[in-house]
Amino acid sequence: MWNVVNQQISEVLHQPFVVTHKEQLRSCDNEMRFHISNGEHHYLVKVDLLSALERFEAESKARDLLIRDSDFLVADTITIGTTLEFSFIVIEMLPRSQAQENWSECALQLAKMHNRFEQQMFGLEEDSYVHQLIQPNQWHRKWETFFAEERIGWQLQLLKEKGVELVNIDDFVITIKSLLAHHTKPSLLHGHFWKGNIFFSDGKPCLDNPACYYGDREVDIAMSELFAPLPKEFYDTYNAQFALQPGYEIRKSVYQLYPLLLHANLYAGDYLNQAQKRVNEILK
């Protein structure tokens, strides 16, 4: 496989590239990850089964979208390829620095990205992925329809197909629509905006593992508050720059249900209990 990786990187660089350093990193789900280098260039290589090729292509498109329409640092995709057994994606490896975290700048960049409003509908031209799960992005004119059907309804249906029925899906989708019927415009979203996908390089905020689409900007904020809330200065700066609308706390409960359902589909366990608890809270 590494001969193919060397060859494709060489074609992109227009000069010979040979791996002289290879270090296996912590895996994510079934995906193997490696840090490779020739002493001058450093890359992250994600390796998975051939069936992951579409997911890698979606990630590359999401990276390009963030590079084009935001001021965040986002690692470039170098190349994508396959061997007889595997598919892989090679990504630029940006240096990381915990000593230079600037959460106010991160908030300013996110507010700026959210405030562009260059799309008239909710969704995206193609589906995206969060971990191994496809994230449908069919275009909708109404935000409440998009989120209720493409996010909550979809995840509930996946669980039902596994024999787990948390709630009557049709009735719950109607409830979700009623809770999200507020005025909002389509913002470009990272789509999986939490602390684990944010880092800093020379003090500049960087985004990783994008799952982009156009939606209510509050989704990114709500996601960031769920598993590992960001520092207070992030939220203070964001609200000073682009204040959240009244009723956000109610909508946040709905928006946070989506990652809970997604994790329940991926890993089951206590995520199922958390998702059921959140469903019950929303119904009340």
Side-chain angles (χ1 to χ4, degrees):
M1 187 193 86
W2 295 107
N3 288 335
V4 177
V5 172
N6 284 337
Q7 180 182 353
Q8 289 195 203
I9 295 177
S10 297
E11 291 174 358
V12 172
L13 295 179
H14 302 294
Q15 65 184 52
F17 178 90
V18 178
V19 174
T20 58
H21 171 81
K22 181 177 67 177
E23 174 189 0
Q24 185 162 0
L25 307 175
R26 183 173 60 86
S27 299
C28 180
D29 300 318
N30 297 323
E31 180 183 279
M32 295 180 291
R33 298 184 175 189
F34 299 88
H35 167 207
I36 66 169
S37 172
N38 67 345
E40 179 182 1
H41 301 282
H42 294 262
Y43 301 118
L44 170 68
V45 184
K46 299 180 181 181
V47 182
D48 208 330
L49 301 177
L50 285 171
S51 57
L53 180 61
E54 185 175 315
R55 188 175 85 245
F56 289 153
E57 290 173 341
E59 177 181 346
S60 178
K61 290 177 182 178
R63 289 181 180 278
D64 290 344
L65 191 55
L66 285 178
I67 290 169
R68 188 191 75 187
D69 290 344
S70 84
D71 291 334
F72 283 102
L73 278 182
V74 180
D76 278 316
T77 302
I78 304 302
T79 188
I80 300 172
T82 60
T83 65
L84 290 176
E85 297 180 81
F86 302 107
S87 60
F88 62 86
I89 181 171
V90 181
I91 302 166
E92 173 190 16
M93 199 167 218
L94 299 173
R96 301 190 177 210
S97 174
Q98 291 183 334
Q100 294 179 296
E101 293 184 347
N102 188 339
W103 289 102
S104 289
E105 180 63 21
C106 181
L108 289 172
Q109 298 290 7
L110 188 68
K112 184 177 180 181
M113 183 178 89
H114 284 168
N115 204 22
R116 291 174 69 98
F117 300 132
E118 295 181 351
Q119 176 55 245
Q120 301 302 312
M121 297 180 69
F122 300 96
L124 198 66
E125 289 88 353
E126 59 275 317
D127 295 335
S128 47
Y129 285 80
V130 176
H131 296 297
Q132 313 291 325
L133 281 185
I134 195 167
Q135 183 171 249
N137 289 325
Q138 182 177 335
W139 291 112
H140 288 269
R141 292 193 178 278
K142 293 184 177 181
W143 166 245
E144 61 268 30
T145 302
F146 174 89
F147 197 82
E149 296 181 1
E150 307 293 331
R151 293 294 178 263
I152 302 301
W154 171 259
Q155 291 295 328
L156 287 171
Q157 182 61 38
L158 291 180
L159 282 173
K160 185 176 181 180
E161 291 171 4
K162 297 174 182 176
V164 179
E165 189 167 5
L166 301 182
V167 67
N168 181 285
I169 298 176
D170 292 338
D171 291 345
F172 194 66
V173 163
I174 292 173
T175 298
I176 295 300
K177 289 179 181 179
S178 69
L179 293 172
L180 299 184
H182 70 298
H183 177 70
T184 187
K185 296 180 181 179
S187 296
L188 176 61
L189 306 182
H190 175 275
H192 197 210
F193 189 76
W194 77 290
K195 197 170 187 179
N197 287 332
I198 308 164
F199 65 97
F200 295 84
S201 182
D202 295 326
K204 297 178 181 178
C206 311
L207 296 183
D208 203 7
N209 299 314
C212 295
Y213 64 98
Y214 291 92
D216 183 355
R217 65 193 177 97
E218 294 176 351
V219 171
D220 276 348
I221 302 300
M223 174 70 185
S224 76
E225 293 185 82
L226 180 59
F227 296 124
L230 305 180
K232 183 176 181 295
E233 64 184 285
F234 171 86
Y235 300 106
D236 289 346
T237 303
Y238 185 93
N239 275 292
Q241 192 73 17
F242 195 5
L244 297 173
Q245 296 181 49
Y248 166 68
E249 289 300 323
I250 295 174
R251 294 187 294 274
K252 178 172 76 171
S253 183
V254 175
Y255 293 150
Q256 289 181 343
L257 174 60
Y258 174 62
L260 291 175
L261 289 172
L262 190 144
H263 281 73
N265 266 303
L266 286 168
Y267 310 118
D270 188 54
Y271 289 115
L272 284 170
N273 297 328
Q274 293 183 52
Q276 182 68 76
K277 181 180 178 182
R278 184 61 62 94
V279 166
N280 296 341
E281 290 172 354
I282 291 170
L283 288 174
K284 290 179 181 178

